[in-house]
Amino acid sequence: MRASYIAAVCAVLVLLLAEAQLSVAAATCSPSELSPCMSAITSSSPPSKLCCTKIKQQKSCLCQYLKNPSMKKFVTSPNAKKVVTTCGVPIPKC
């Protein structure tokens, strides 16, 4: 009886942790997080350290942004590619 109770509690904890990780991952893909990069993307100024940090944090979201028609032009522009490369983030192949 006690072993089945412990197994049930462990199963619930695993499910809760998995759900929490999914919601955190979903919440992190926010284009507004890249706002420190806008001046570098829209002009030829070099990216700031904060911009590079944000791009590295949003790296897993870049394909999602590429699939969004309103975001694609910002992600595929020559300056955006230059910023990503300067920050040491590989350009994703989606």
Side-chain angles (χ1 to χ4, degrees):
M1 178 81 163
R2 183 173 166 94
S4 63
Y5 175 75
I6 292 173
V9 169
C10 287
V12 169
L13 285 174
V14 167
L15 289 174
L16 289 173
L17 286 172
E19 185 176 322
Q21 287 179 348
L22 287 175
S23 65
V24 168
T28 58
C29 286
S30 173
S32 65
E33 289 292 315
L34 296 175
S35 62
C37 300
M38 283 312 292
S39 64
I41 291 172
T42 58
S43 70
S44 60
S45 63
S48 66
K49 287 182 182 182
L50 178 60
C51 169
C52 288
T53 299
K54 292 295 185 178
I55 285 183
K56 289 174 183 174
Q57 290 172 349
Q58 295 283 304
K59 180 177 151 183
S60 64
C61 303
L62 293 178
C63 283
Q64 177 182 333
Y65 300 154
L66 281 168
K67 293 175 185 175
N68 181 334
S70 63
M71 291 292 304
K72 186 176 181 174
K73 61 184 173 186
F74 294 107
V75 180
T76 59
S77 73
N79 282 347
K81 290 178 181 179
K82 182 179 165 186
V83 168
V84 171
T85 302
T86 302
C87 291
V89 175
I91 296 172
K93 295 181 182 181
C94 308

